[in-house]
Amino acid sequence: MKTQHTKDVADVNQIAKEYAAAWAKGDPELLLSCYADDAVVIMSNEAPIVGKKALRELYEAVFASPKTEAEGGGEASMAEAVGINPDDYVITSGGEEGEKEVSGDLGYLWSTYYSLATPKPGVGGEPIGDSGVSLLIVRRQKDGAWKVALMMATRGEDPLAASQQNDPGQ
């Protein structure tokens, strides 16, 4: 049964905004604050990552760059994590929100995402991209706060496909 309690929906929207902002900022502790202690992250072709300790190790590695948010923060950190110099690439990212629903103490929201690192003129190399769909399942905690209990992400071949409308007739 679908319930639409205005405060719950607003709270779930808020945790989604905080989660996206933490990614954009490249701050592992801020990102971890969005997760429940027993959270699970599942990504395509990867073993599940369970619990905040394991998530901390992951996000500290992903966001290891000392760059500030003004210097590129999370995107620069992620570029360095995959072995490219962020100063040599133009990085674009985005996506679209999908459906959100809250029922009782659980909710979900999904979205598309993409990131594309294109070499700057004079830099050798091919564009590097990632795209897919992410699903956040959120759960109300004992203190009433909403936290991410499960994050799943699928990855696609085309770095822009997740955010483009495809005409099935083409």
Side-chain angles (χ1 to χ4, degrees), residues 27-168:
D27 184 332
E29 289 305 315
L30 190 57
L31 186 57
L32 287 167
S33 72
C34 297
Y35 282 99
D37 290 339
D38 59 350
V40 178
V41 170
I42 301 171
M43 296 183 291
S44 298
N45 303 314
E46 307 268 341
I49 302 164
V50 181
K52 274 195 174 175
K53 180 180 179 189
L55 290 172
R56 178 172 277 105
E57 291 174 14
L58 169 69
Y59 293 135
E60 284 178 352
V62 168
F63 297 124
S65 171
K67 292 183 182 287
T68 67
E69 186 175 3
E71 296 171 322
E75 290 179 347
S77 298
M78 287 184 273
E80 290 174 356
V82 298
I84 64 174
N85 181 348
D87 295 330
D88 291 340
Y89 287 80
V90 174
I91 301 171
T92 56
S93 61
E96 296 180 15
E97 287 188 17
E99 185 177 341
K100 296 175 187 167
E101 187 172 320
V102 178
S103 182
D105 289 339
L106 292 173
Y108 72 84
L109 47 133
W110 64 268
S111 62
T112 63
Y113 68 89
Y114 72 88
S115 62
L116 182 63
T118 306
K120 290 181 179 176
V123 175
E126 295 294 319
I128 300 168
D130 186 24
S131 69
V133 178
S134 66
L135 168 68
L136 295 179
I137 296 177
V138 294
R139 182 178 61 225
R140 187 188 331 261
Q141 305 298 290
K142 290 180 183 179
D143 66 0
W146 288 89
K147 299 286 182 176
V148 175
L150 174 70
M151 191 284 284
M152 295 179 69
T154 63
R155 293 184 175 139
E157 294 286 326
D158 179 354
L160 299 177
S163 65
Q164 294 174 340
Q165 296 291 330
N166 294 316
D167 180 356

